[in-house]
Amino acid sequence: MGKIVEINPTTRHEGHTKLVLKIDDEGIVEKGAYLSVTPVRGFEKFLVGKPAEFAPLAVMRFCGICQAAHGISSAEAIEDACNITPPKDGLLLRELLGIGNKMHSHPLHQFLISPDFVPEKDKSEFIKRVQAMRKVGQYICDVVGGEAIHPPNIMIGGMAKNITESVKSKIYYKCKEYEKLAKEQIDYLIPIFENKTLVDGTELPEKLGYHDFGYIATHPTYGDRTKIDQDNVVEYTPFDVYDRDVAIQASTTIPTLNGRLAEVGPRARFNKFFDFKEKGAMAIHVARAYEMIVHVKRALEIIDELNVNGKTLSDEPVIGDGEKIGLGVHEAARGHNTHQASIDKNGRITYYNAIVATTWNIPLIGKAIEGSHYKFAEHVVRAYDPCVSCATHMIVKDYDNKTVDEKFIQ
Protein backbone atom coordinates (compact mmCIF):
# COMPACT_ATOMS: atom_id res chain seq x y z
CA MET A 1 0.00 0.00 0.00
CA GLY A 2 1.31 3.45 -0.92
CA LYS A 3 2.35 6.18 1.48
CA ILE A 4 3.26 9.86 1.63
CA VAL A 5 6.91 10.95 1.70
CA GLU A 6 7.90 14.51 2.56
CA ILE A 7 11.31 15.93 1.69
CA ASN A 8 11.68 19.09 3.75
CA PRO A 9 13.67 21.14 3.10
CA THR A 10 14.86 20.60 -0.44
CA THR A 11 18.44 21.71 -0.84
CA ARG A 12 20.98 23.51 -3.02
CA HIS A 13 18.69 26.16 -4.44
CA GLU A 14 17.46 29.57 -3.30
CA GLY A 15 14.55 29.76 -0.86
CA HIS A 16 12.56 27.34 1.29
CA THR A 17 10.52 24.56 -0.30
CA LYS A 18 9.32 21.05 0.34
CA LEU A 19 8.18 18.01 -1.62
CA VAL A 20 5.04 16.07 -0.74
CA LEU A 21 5.09 12.82 -2.70
CA LYS A 22 2.57 9.99 -2.86
CA ILE A 23 4.53 6.84 -3.64
CA ASP A 24 3.71 3.22 -4.36
CA ASP A 25 5.21 0.17 -2.64
CA GLU A 26 8.32 0.35 -4.85
CA GLY A 27 8.91 4.01 -4.04
CA ILE A 28 7.75 5.29 -7.43
CA VAL A 29 6.08 8.71 -7.24
CA GLU A 30 2.43 8.47 -8.21
CA LYS A 31 1.54 12.07 -7.35
CA GLY A 32 4.00 14.88 -6.73
CA ALA A 33 3.58 18.32 -5.19
CA TYR A 34 6.43 20.80 -4.95
CA LEU A 35 5.60 23.89 -2.95
CA SER A 36 7.11 27.04 -1.58
CA VAL A 37 6.86 27.43 2.18
CA THR A 38 8.63 30.81 2.14
CA PRO A 39 6.50 33.34 4.07
CA VAL A 40 4.42 35.75 1.99
CA ARG A 41 5.88 39.26 1.93
CA GLY A 42 3.15 41.09 0.03
CA PHE A 43 5.20 43.25 -2.35
CA GLU A 44 2.36 43.75 -4.82
CA LYS A 45 0.05 45.06 -2.13
CA PHE A 46 2.39 47.53 -0.45
CA LEU A 47 3.37 48.98 -3.85
CA VAL A 48 -0.18 50.22 -4.43
CA GLY A 49 -0.37 53.96 -3.78
CA LYS A 50 3.40 54.44 -4.05
CA PRO A 51 5.09 56.55 -6.77
CA ALA A 52 5.76 54.52 -9.91
CA GLU A 53 9.51 55.15 -9.61
CA PHE A 54 9.55 53.17 -6.37
CA ALA A 55 8.47 49.92 -8.03
CA PRO A 56 11.70 48.89 -9.84
CA LEU A 57 13.71 49.63 -6.70
CA ALA A 58 11.32 47.68 -4.49
CA VAL A 59 10.82 44.58 -6.62
CA MET A 60 14.56 44.09 -7.03
CA ARG A 61 14.39 43.24 -3.32
CA PHE A 62 12.37 40.13 -4.17
CA CYS A 63 15.73 38.44 -4.39
CA GLY A 64 19.49 38.97 -4.34
CA ILE A 65 20.06 36.77 -7.41
CA CYS A 66 17.39 37.77 -9.95
CA GLN A 67 17.34 41.46 -9.06
CA ALA A 68 18.12 42.85 -12.53
CA ALA A 69 15.39 40.71 -14.12
CA HIS A 70 12.75 42.12 -11.78
CA GLY A 71 13.95 45.71 -12.11
CA ILE A 72 13.84 45.46 -15.91
CA SER A 73 10.41 43.79 -15.99
CA SER A 74 9.03 46.37 -13.57
CA ALA A 75 10.34 49.36 -15.53
CA GLU A 76 8.97 47.92 -18.77
CA ALA A 77 5.54 47.27 -17.25
CA ILE A 78 5.30 50.88 -16.12
CA GLU A 79 6.59 52.16 -19.47
CA ASP A 80 3.90 50.13 -21.22
CA ALA A 81 1.24 51.50 -18.87
CA CYS A 82 2.42 55.09 -19.47
CA ASN A 83 3.24 54.74 -23.19
CA ILE A 84 6.92 55.57 -22.65
CA THR A 85 9.50 54.53 -25.24
CA PRO A 86 13.08 54.24 -23.93
CA PRO A 87 15.94 55.25 -26.24
CA LYS A 88 17.71 52.53 -28.22
CA ASP A 89 20.94 52.73 -26.22
CA GLY A 90 19.02 52.57 -22.96
CA LEU A 91 17.39 49.34 -24.12
CA LEU A 92 20.74 47.92 -25.24
CA LEU A 93 22.20 48.63 -21.81
CA ARG A 94 19.21 46.99 -20.14
CA GLU A 95 19.64 43.88 -22.23
CA LEU A 96 23.37 43.83 -21.47
CA LEU A 97 22.64 44.13 -17.75
CA GLY A 98 20.16 41.25 -17.90
CA ILE A 99 22.67 39.14 -19.81
CA GLY A 100 25.36 39.93 -17.24
CA ASN A 101 22.99 38.70 -14.56
CA LYS A 102 22.49 35.40 -16.42
CA MET A 103 26.23 35.07 -17.12
CA HIS A 104 26.71 35.22 -13.34
CA SER A 105 23.76 33.02 -12.40
CA HIS A 106 24.25 30.00 -14.69
CA PRO A 107 27.76 29.14 -13.42
CA LEU A 108 26.52 29.61 -9.86
CA HIS A 109 23.88 26.95 -10.49
CA GLN A 110 26.54 24.64 -11.91
CA PHE A 111 28.47 25.06 -8.68
CA LEU A 112 25.37 24.13 -6.66
CA ILE A 113 24.89 20.88 -8.56
CA SER A 114 28.60 20.05 -8.65
CA PRO A 115 28.42 17.66 -5.63
CA ASP A 116 26.13 15.49 -7.78
CA PHE A 117 28.31 15.39 -10.88
CA VAL A 118 31.88 16.64 -10.35
CA PRO A 119 34.43 14.18 -8.91
CA GLU A 120 36.76 15.32 -6.15
CA LYS A 121 39.84 15.34 -8.40
CA ASP A 122 38.20 17.93 -10.71
CA LYS A 123 36.62 20.20 -8.12
CA SER A 124 39.43 22.72 -7.73
CA GLU A 125 39.68 23.54 -11.44
CA PHE A 126 35.91 23.42 -11.82
CA ILE A 127 35.34 25.93 -9.02
CA LYS A 128 38.08 28.23 -10.32
CA ARG A 129 36.39 28.27 -13.73
CA VAL A 130 32.96 28.93 -12.19
CA GLN A 131 34.28 31.81 -10.11
CA ALA A 132 36.12 33.34 -13.07
CA MET A 133 32.90 33.32 -15.13
CA ARG A 134 30.87 34.75 -12.27
CA LYS A 135 33.36 37.61 -11.88
CA VAL A 136 32.78 38.62 -15.51
CA GLY A 137 29.00 38.59 -15.11
CA GLN A 138 29.29 40.52 -11.86
CA TYR A 139 31.56 43.11 -13.51
CA ILE A 140 29.00 43.73 -16.27
CA CYS A 141 26.24 44.19 -13.70
CA ASP A 142 28.44 46.51 -11.62
CA VAL A 143 29.42 48.88 -14.40
CA VAL A 144 26.19 48.81 -16.41
CA GLY A 145 23.75 48.67 -13.51
CA GLY A 146 25.61 50.92 -11.09
CA GLU A 147 26.12 47.97 -8.76
CA ALA A 148 25.51 44.27 -9.16
CA ILE A 149 23.02 43.76 -6.34
CA HIS A 150 19.86 45.83 -6.85
CA PRO A 151 21.32 47.93 -9.72
CA PRO A 152 20.12 51.54 -9.35
CA ASN A 153 20.69 52.53 -12.99
CA ILE A 154 17.47 50.75 -14.04
CA MET A 155 14.95 53.56 -14.34
CA ILE A 156 11.54 54.06 -15.90
CA GLY A 157 12.32 55.34 -19.38
CA GLY A 158 15.61 53.52 -19.84
CA MET A 159 18.87 53.57 -17.92
CA ALA A 160 20.22 56.35 -15.72
CA LYS A 161 23.49 56.70 -17.60
CA ASN A 162 25.66 55.28 -20.34
CA ILE A 163 29.03 53.60 -19.97
CA THR A 164 32.36 55.04 -21.10
CA GLU A 165 34.42 53.91 -24.05
CA SER A 166 37.00 52.53 -21.62
CA VAL A 167 34.38 50.43 -19.81
CA LYS A 168 32.98 49.27 -23.13
CA SER A 169 36.45 48.01 -24.09
CA LYS A 170 36.91 46.24 -20.76
CA ILE A 171 33.55 44.49 -21.13
CA TYR A 172 34.56 43.30 -24.58
CA TYR A 173 37.80 41.71 -23.39
CA LYS A 174 36.15 40.22 -20.33
CA CYS A 175 33.45 38.70 -22.53
CA LYS A 176 36.10 37.12 -24.74
CA GLU A 177 37.60 35.61 -21.59
CA TYR A 178 34.14 34.38 -20.54
CA GLU A 179 33.54 32.83 -23.96
CA LYS A 180 36.73 30.78 -23.64
CA LEU A 181 35.84 29.65 -20.11
CA ALA A 182 32.26 28.80 -21.10
CA LYS A 183 33.48 26.58 -23.92
CA GLU A 184 35.76 24.76 -21.48
CA GLN A 185 32.83 24.38 -19.08
CA ILE A 186 30.60 22.99 -21.81
CA ASP A 187 33.26 20.53 -22.97
CA TYR A 188 33.56 19.31 -19.39
CA LEU A 189 29.89 19.19 -18.37
CA ILE A 190 27.99 18.00 -21.43
CA PRO A 191 29.48 14.45 -21.46
CA ILE A 192 28.69 14.17 -17.74
CA PHE A 193 25.08 15.26 -18.24
CA GLU A 194 24.60 13.03 -21.27
CA ASN A 195 25.98 10.06 -19.31
CA LYS A 196 23.13 10.50 -16.78
CA THR A 197 25.24 9.11 -13.94
CA LEU A 198 25.93 10.69 -10.56
CA VAL A 199 29.43 11.09 -9.21
CA ASP A 200 28.92 8.09 -6.90
CA GLY A 201 28.10 5.87 -9.86
CA THR A 202 24.31 5.91 -9.46
CA GLU A 203 22.54 5.85 -12.81
CA LEU A 204 19.69 8.32 -13.19
CA PRO A 205 16.41 7.05 -14.68
CA GLU A 206 16.32 7.48 -18.45
CA LYS A 207 13.07 9.47 -18.30
CA LEU A 208 13.75 11.39 -15.10
CA GLY A 209 11.85 14.67 -15.21
CA TYR A 210 9.85 13.95 -18.36
CA HIS A 211 6.59 15.85 -18.77
CA ASP A 212 4.14 16.61 -21.57
CA PHE A 213 3.52 20.29 -20.91
CA GLY A 214 4.48 23.11 -23.23
CA TYR A 215 7.06 25.89 -22.99
CA ILE A 216 6.97 29.66 -22.68
CA ALA A 217 9.79 31.84 -23.96
CA THR A 218 9.46 35.18 -25.75
CA HIS A 219 13.07 35.98 -26.72
CA PRO A 220 16.47 34.21 -26.69
CA THR A 221 18.14 36.78 -24.39
CA TYR A 222 15.80 39.63 -23.45
CA GLY A 223 11.99 39.53 -23.56
CA ASP A 224 9.14 40.52 -25.87
CA ARG A 225 5.68 41.35 -24.55
CA THR A 226 4.17 40.95 -28.02
CA LYS A 227 4.97 37.22 -27.95
CA ILE A 228 2.70 36.36 -25.01
CA ASP A 229 -1.07 36.78 -24.80
CA GLN A 230 -1.42 37.74 -21.16
CA ASP A 231 -5.21 37.51 -21.40
CA ASN A 232 -4.79 33.74 -21.67
CA VAL A 233 -2.69 33.57 -18.49
CA VAL A 234 -4.77 32.61 -15.46
CA GLU A 235 -3.49 32.23 -11.89
CA TYR A 236 -5.10 29.66 -9.62
CA THR A 237 -4.78 29.25 -5.87
CA PRO A 238 -3.16 26.14 -4.35
CA PHE A 239 -6.62 25.05 -3.22
CA ASP A 240 -7.67 24.78 -6.86
CA VAL A 241 -4.82 22.38 -7.63
CA TYR A 242 -3.41 20.60 -4.55
CA ASP A 243 -5.04 18.44 -1.92
CA ARG A 244 -6.28 20.59 0.95
CA ASP A 245 -3.67 19.48 3.48
CA VAL A 246 -0.92 20.35 0.97
CA ALA A 247 -2.49 23.55 -0.32
CA ILE A 248 -2.68 25.15 3.11
CA GLN A 249 1.14 25.07 3.28
CA ALA A 250 1.77 26.64 -0.14
CA SER A 251 2.50 30.33 -0.72
CA THR A 252 2.45 30.75 -4.49
CA THR A 253 -0.17 30.89 -7.17
CA ILE A 254 -0.34 28.32 -9.97
CA PRO A 255 -0.23 30.11 -13.33
CA THR A 256 -1.49 28.53 -16.54
CA LEU A 257 -1.38 29.48 -20.20
CA ASN A 258 -4.46 28.41 -22.15
CA GLY A 259 -5.46 26.27 -19.19
CA ARG A 260 -2.22 24.30 -18.91
CA LEU A 261 0.98 24.41 -16.90
CA ALA A 262 4.09 25.45 -18.81
CA GLU A 263 7.85 25.23 -18.34
CA VAL A 264 10.03 28.33 -18.53
CA GLY A 265 13.81 28.72 -18.48
CA PRO A 266 16.86 27.68 -20.53
CA ARG A 267 15.29 24.57 -22.06
CA ALA A 268 12.13 26.52 -22.96
CA ARG A 269 14.23 29.17 -24.73
CA PHE A 270 16.26 26.55 -26.56
CA ASN A 271 13.09 24.72 -27.57
CA LYS A 272 11.52 27.89 -28.95
CA PHE A 273 14.52 29.48 -30.64
CA PHE A 274 17.09 26.72 -31.31
CA ASP A 275 14.89 23.68 -32.08
CA PHE A 276 16.08 21.85 -28.95
CA LYS A 277 13.81 18.82 -28.49
CA GLU A 278 15.48 16.90 -25.64
CA LYS A 279 13.28 16.07 -22.64
CA GLY A 280 13.93 15.32 -19.00
CA ALA A 281 15.84 16.91 -16.14
CA MET A 282 19.29 16.40 -17.61
CA ALA A 283 18.30 18.20 -20.81
CA ILE A 284 17.71 21.35 -18.75
CA HIS A 285 21.30 21.18 -17.52
CA VAL A 286 22.48 20.74 -21.11
CA ALA A 287 20.47 23.73 -22.36
CA ARG A 288 21.68 25.91 -19.49
CA ALA A 289 25.30 25.08 -20.30
CA TYR A 290 24.95 25.87 -23.99
CA GLU A 291 23.03 29.04 -23.18
CA MET A 292 26.15 30.56 -21.63
CA ILE A 293 27.57 30.86 -25.15
CA VAL A 294 24.35 32.41 -26.46
CA HIS A 295 24.54 35.04 -23.72
CA VAL A 296 28.16 36.00 -24.18
CA LYS A 297 27.84 36.20 -27.97
CA ARG A 298 24.85 38.52 -27.63
CA ALA A 299 26.79 40.62 -25.09
CA LEU A 300 29.56 41.04 -27.66
CA GLU A 301 26.99 42.08 -30.30
CA ILE A 302 25.54 44.69 -27.93
CA ILE A 303 28.99 46.09 -27.18
CA ASP A 304 29.56 46.48 -30.91
CA GLU A 305 26.18 48.17 -31.42
CA LEU A 306 26.13 50.44 -28.36
CA ASN A 307 26.79 54.16 -28.82
CA VAL A 308 28.44 55.32 -25.59
CA ASN A 309 27.42 58.90 -26.41
CA GLY A 310 23.81 57.97 -27.06
CA LYS A 311 20.82 58.98 -24.99
CA THR A 312 19.79 56.33 -22.47
CA LEU A 313 16.78 57.81 -20.65
CA SER A 314 13.47 59.10 -21.97
CA ASP A 315 12.17 62.44 -20.69
CA GLU A 316 8.51 61.43 -21.13
CA PRO A 317 6.37 61.85 -18.00
CA VAL A 318 5.56 58.82 -15.85
CA ILE A 319 1.80 59.30 -15.98
CA GLY A 320 -0.92 56.79 -16.82
CA ASP A 321 -4.69 56.72 -16.95
CA GLY A 322 -5.18 54.41 -13.98
CA GLU A 323 -6.82 51.80 -16.19
CA LYS A 324 -4.32 50.44 -18.70
CA ILE A 325 -2.37 47.52 -17.25
CA GLY A 326 1.15 47.59 -18.63
CA LEU A 327 3.13 44.40 -19.15
CA GLY A 328 6.88 43.98 -18.71
CA VAL A 329 8.48 40.74 -19.89
CA HIS A 330 12.05 39.65 -19.33
CA GLU A 331 13.78 36.31 -19.90
CA ALA A 332 15.41 35.87 -16.50
CA ALA A 333 18.01 33.19 -15.79
CA ARG A 334 15.18 30.93 -14.63
CA GLY A 335 12.82 31.90 -17.43
CA HIS A 336 9.84 33.98 -18.50
CA ASN A 337 9.34 36.74 -15.93
CA THR A 338 6.38 39.14 -16.08
CA HIS A 339 5.37 42.21 -14.11
CA GLN A 340 2.12 44.11 -14.62
CA ALA A 341 1.33 47.63 -13.42
CA SER A 342 -1.27 50.34 -13.71
CA ILE A 343 -0.36 53.99 -13.05
CA ASP A 344 -2.76 56.88 -12.40
CA LYS A 345 -2.61 60.50 -13.59
CA ASN A 346 -0.58 61.41 -10.50
CA GLY A 347 2.09 58.85 -11.31
CA ARG A 348 1.09 56.48 -8.51
CA ILE A 349 0.62 52.73 -8.69
CA THR A 350 -2.99 51.54 -8.66
CA TYR A 351 -2.31 47.87 -9.47
CA TYR A 352 0.73 45.60 -9.43
CA ASN A 353 1.24 41.89 -10.09
CA ALA A 354 4.29 39.72 -10.74
CA ILE A 355 4.34 36.20 -12.18
CA VAL A 356 7.99 35.28 -11.98
CA ALA A 357 9.83 32.40 -13.60
CA THR A 358 9.87 30.02 -10.65
CA THR A 359 6.16 30.60 -10.06
CA TRP A 360 5.61 28.91 -13.42
CA ASN A 361 7.99 26.04 -12.70
CA ILE A 362 6.95 25.19 -9.13
CA PRO A 363 3.74 23.26 -9.99
CA LEU A 364 5.35 21.73 -13.06
CA ILE A 365 8.27 20.35 -11.02
CA GLY A 366 5.84 18.30 -8.96
CA LYS A 367 4.40 16.78 -12.12
CA ALA A 368 7.86 16.16 -13.63
CA ILE A 369 8.85 14.08 -10.59
CA GLU A 370 6.00 11.62 -11.13
CA GLY A 371 6.96 8.24 -12.56
CA SER A 372 10.44 8.01 -11.01
CA HIS A 373 11.68 6.82 -7.62
CA TYR A 374 11.34 9.45 -4.93
CA LYS A 375 15.07 9.30 -4.12
CA PHE A 376 15.69 11.14 -7.43
CA ALA A 377 13.12 13.87 -6.77
CA GLU A 378 15.59 16.53 -5.65
CA HIS A 379 17.57 16.09 -8.86
CA VAL A 380 14.50 17.24 -10.78
CA VAL A 381 14.08 20.20 -8.43
CA ARG A 382 17.70 21.28 -8.87
CA ALA A 383 17.50 21.03 -12.66
CA TYR A 384 15.06 23.94 -12.67
CA ASP A 385 17.32 26.07 -10.42
CA PRO A 386 14.31 27.44 -8.50
CA CYS A 387 14.54 30.89 -6.96
CA VAL A 388 11.78 30.65 -4.44
CA SER A 389 11.89 34.05 -2.73
CA CYS A 390 11.09 35.55 -6.13
CA ALA A 391 8.01 33.35 -6.44
CA THR A 392 6.37 34.07 -3.08
CA HIS A 393 3.74 36.78 -3.45
CA MET A 394 0.39 35.30 -2.55
CA ILE A 395 -2.09 35.34 0.27
CA VAL A 396 -5.32 33.39 -0.20
CA LYS A 397 -8.64 34.80 1.00
CA ASP A 398 -12.03 33.17 1.07
CA TYR A 399 -15.31 34.67 -0.08
CA ASP A 400 -15.72 36.42 3.27
CA ASN A 401 -12.39 38.21 2.69
CA LYS A 402 -10.73 36.23 5.48
CA THR A 403 -7.34 34.71 4.91
CA VAL A 404 -7.45 30.96 4.45
CA ASP A 405 -4.84 30.34 7.13
CA GLU A 406 -6.94 32.12 9.76
CA LYS A 407 -10.05 30.30 8.59
CA PHE A 408 -8.50 26.86 9.15
CA ILE A 409 -6.88 27.82 12.44
CA GLN A 410 -10.19 29.02 13.87
Side-chain angles (χ1 to χ4, degrees):
M1 187 162 178
K3 62 179 181 178
I4 301 295
V5 170
E6 286 195 8
I7 302 175
N8 182 20
T10 56
T11 60
R12 284 191 269 136
H13 60 76
E14 192 282 333
H16 304 286
T17 64
K18 67 187 295 186
L19 286 161
V20 182
L21 309 173
K22 181 181 179 181
I23 65 171
D24 66 16
D25 291 340
E26 281 71 48
I28 303 300
V29 179
E30 296 178 325
K31 185 174 184 179
Y34 178 61
L35 53 145
S36 166
V37 293
T38 305
V40 173
R41 293 169 296 159
F43 273 84
E44 288 100 334
K45 289 301 181 185
F46 75 62
L47 284 172
V48 173
K50 301 291 194 302
E53 293 81 359
F54 178 63
L57 297 173
V59 300
M60 282 192 282
R61 272 69 182 175
F62 281 179
C63 173
I65 299 173
C66 317
Q67 64 284 78
H70 294 305
I72 291 169
S73 294
S74 179
E76 295 217 343
I78 294 167
E79 288 158 2
D80 187 34
C82 299
N83 300 310
I84 295 170
T85 303
K88 174 186 174 181
D89 290 304
L91 291 175
L92 286 172
L93 286 168
R94 267 194 197 163
E95 184 177 359
L96 183 58
L97 173 60
I99 287 171
N101 184 223
K102 291 186 276 283
M103 287 169 64
H104 174 272
S105 180
H106 280 7
L108 174 60
H109 174 260
Q110 290 161 357
F111 169 74
L112 291 175
I113 62 169
S114 63
D116 298 328
F117 299 106
V118 179
E120 191 66 35
K121 66 181 179 63
D122 296 342
K123 279 189 177 178
S124 178
E125 287 304 311
F126 180 85
I127 292 170
K128 287 177 183 177
R129 190 163 56 241
V130 164
Q131 291 299 81
M133 286 191 288
R134 290 181 65 216
K135 285 178 68 175
V136 175
Q138 196 83 337
Y139 176 80
I140 293 172
C141 294
D142 271 329
V143 297
V144 176
E147 62 179 51
I149 299 179
H150 312 139
N153 285 351
I154 301 172
M155 298 187 73
I156 298 165
M159 295 287 281
K161 57 185 178 181
N162 214 323
I163 59 175
T164 66
E165 192 67 47
S166 173
V167 167
K168 178 178 175 179
S169 179
K170 287 180 181 177
I171 292 175
Y172 172 83
Y173 287 109
K174 287 180 180 293
C175 282
K176 296 302 287 186
E177 174 192 352
Y178 187 100
E179 186 176 24
K180 176 178 176 291
L181 291 166
K183 288 178 179 178
E184 292 176 5
Q185 189 80 329
I186 288 167
D187 288 344
Y188 178 78
L189 285 175
I190 296 302
I192 292 174
F193 294 152
E194 291 180 343
N195 192 40
K196 297 183 179 179
T197 302
L198 300 177
V199 72
D200 65 2
T202 301
E203 292 186 9
L204 295 171
E206 180 64 30
K207 294 188 175 182
L208 180 67
Y210 271 44
H211 67 76
D212 294 319
F213 297 100
Y215 303 100
I216 301 175
T218 64
H219 193 275
T221 58
Y222 189 60
D224 184 348
R225 70 170 65 92
T226 68
K227 302 301 183 184
I228 182 78
D229 186 352
Q230 200 68 12
D231 290 339
N232 290 329
V233 174
V234 177
E235 292 180 89
Y236 293 93
T237 76
F239 291 89
D240 297 317
V241 178
Y242 300 137
D243 293 337
R244 176 169 160 166
D245 58 334
V246 174
I248 198 170
Q249 305 172 66
S251 59
T252 59
T253 60
I254 291 87
T256 61
L257 177 63
N258 298 319
R260 284 177 57 80
L261 302 178
E263 179 183 319
V264 303
R267 196 239 307 270
R269 289 188 284 262
F270 261 56
N271 177 272
K272 292 288 186 180
F273 299 106
F274 302 101
D275 198 33
F276 185 79
K277 301 301 183 185
E278 297 300 315
K279 301 183 73 172
M282 300 308 292
I284 305 176
H285 292 313
V286 170
R288 186 178 290 108
Y290 281 128
E291 195 173 48
M292 295 188 298
I293 294 295
V294 173
H295 291 150
V296 74
K297 285 186 177 296
R298 177 56 185 154
L300 288 165
E301 291 174 357
I302 292 171
I303 285 299
D304 185 57
E305 191 176 349
L306 179 70
N307 175 9
V308 296
N309 297 310
K311 185 178 180 181
T312 63
L313 189 63
S314 170
D315 53 12
E316 297 169 276
V318 185
I319 296 172
D321 61 10
E323 296 182 4
K324 180 182 179 181
I325 297 176
L327 176 64
V329 177
H330 185 71
E331 288 293 331
R334 289 148 191 85
H336 175 75
N337 180 65
T338 61
H339 287 230
Q340 292 174 281
S342 185
I343 310 299
D344 68 17
K345 63 181 181 180
N346 297 312
R348 292 188 174 271
I349 300 165
T350 59
Y351 171 82
Y352 205 94
N353 187 52
I355 307 178
V356 306
T358 295
T359 305
W360 283 99
N361 284 336
I362 280 176
L364 187 136
I365 289 169
K367 294 294 184 182
I369 288 167
E370 295 173 359
S372 295
H373 196 281
Y374 75 88
K375 71 179 182 179
F376 297 111
E378 282 197 271
H379 294 289
V380 178
V381 173
R382 291 179 195 136
Y384 286 86
D385 190 20
C387 191
V388 182
S389 292
C390 291
T392 304
H393 310 297
M394 183 199 73
I395 188 164
V396 181
K397 294 192 174 186
D398 64 17
Y399 292 108
D400 297 322
N401 207 35
K402 295 178 181 178
T403 64
V404 169
D405 283 344
E406 289 179 358
K407 179 179 177 182
F408 282 114
I409 289 170
Q410 289 170 356

